[in-house]
Amino acid sequence: MAGFNAGAASVGVCYGTSGDNLPPASTVVGMLRENGFTVVRLYWPDPAALAALAGTGIKVVVGAPNDVLPALAASESAAAAWVRQNIQAHPLVTFRYVVVGNEVPAGATAHLVPAMENVHAALAAAGLGHVKVTTAISQGTISVHLPPSAGEFTEEARSFMGYVVSFLERTRAPLLANLYPYFVYTLGLGHMDMSFALFTSPGTVVQDGEYGYQNLFDATVDALYTAVAKLGGSRVRVVVSETGWPTAGGAAASVENAMAYNQNLVRHVRKGTPRRPRRVEAYVFAMFNENLKEAGVEQNWGLFYPNMERVYPITFGA
């Protein structure tokens, strides 16, 4: 794999498995190591992936998928069993976060915080209280992106995010958010030039009081910080659990744009945002193009093709 960078990557990567032609997990873990990734996000506790990650020192963000939330919320013993089978069963894996639910739909949010509470208690009882429990929210929960000082959750999101933020503030866990400047730009939500979305604006585009914003990524992260603070989460750190740009299948989706966005992201995250000038923890979506996803852009976010070739040249260390 020519052009890889063996230094430590400044970003993590999302390893999705919605494909019928992907390499085996042991091969993928080798690719993670070759490319300097020190942290990976899994959407479910895939036994093959966890076995391959054991002993590597690569930190793992693992999901408790949406379909298990009702059981985890209803029963402390169910949560204890889930932790036993999926976390304790892998003592050589370095778990970073357990992500209870990913973009949980409105009808299921009543299960969210009870499930988080039960998993948190189960980890603590197992002597794994250092593994933080959180959830991952979608870009769609944010109703106001610009200016960041006016950042706001949607009314629907506020109905459950107050409980989520209270849990995270109490347990000192971060909030994970799947943030995509690509969608804000292509849906026309900000009436902006594409350079603002691709980190290529030559100067400040949005002046927000004392803070100048040169890219949409920073603006979105800081808008989310504002929205979280309004709900009492002044200590809650935002982790960008997915971000990226598609190479095909939709408006503005191209190899050139994807390469620009992701390479600029890698270089940028160390600087932080205007309001929080310290490194942003971010995960590029995704490791592979996944052919079982919905046709269109959804199949075209990968850094690699399933044959392990790079979709475009990029280095992950900044």
Side-chain angles (χ1 to χ4, degrees), residues 24-45:
S26 56
T27 303
V28 177
V29 171
M31 293 171 70
L32 294 174
R33 297 178 82 169
E34 261 181 66
N35 287 282
F37 287 113
T38 59
V39 60
V40 63
R41 182 181 179 193
L42 306 179
Y43 290 88
W44 60 290

Side-chain angles (χ1 to χ4, degrees), residues 201-280:
S201 294
T204 296
V205 176
V206 174
Q207 190 67 40
D208 185 18
E210 66 187 283
Y211 302 109
Y213 288 85
Q214 210 167 328
N215 66 78
L216 182 55
F217 177 88
D218 283 352
T220 305
V221 171
D222 278 352
L224 184 53
Y225 270 117
T226 302
V228 169
K230 286 177 181 175
L231 297 179
S234 57
R235 291 186 309 183
V236 175
R237 187 168 59 92
V238 169
V239 170
V240 181
S241 44
E242 290 180 14
T243 193
W245 198 282
T247 51
S254 70
V255 167
E256 183 183 28
N257 288 344
M259 182 167 69
Y261 180 84
N262 282 328
Q263 188 65 80
N264 288 329
L265 174 80
V266 166
R267 295 187 184 121
H268 181 75
V269 288
R270 289 190 190 279
K271 300 175 190 168
T273 69
R275 273 179 173 73
R276 306 262 175 157
R278 51 186 176 271
R279 181 185 176 143
V280 179

Side-chain angles (χ1 to χ4, degrees), residues 74-90:
S75 158
E76 289 181 20
S77 62
W82 190 92
V83 165
R84 196 163 52 247
Q85 291 157 15
N86 298 299
I87 308 297
Q88 290 172 271
H90 302 280

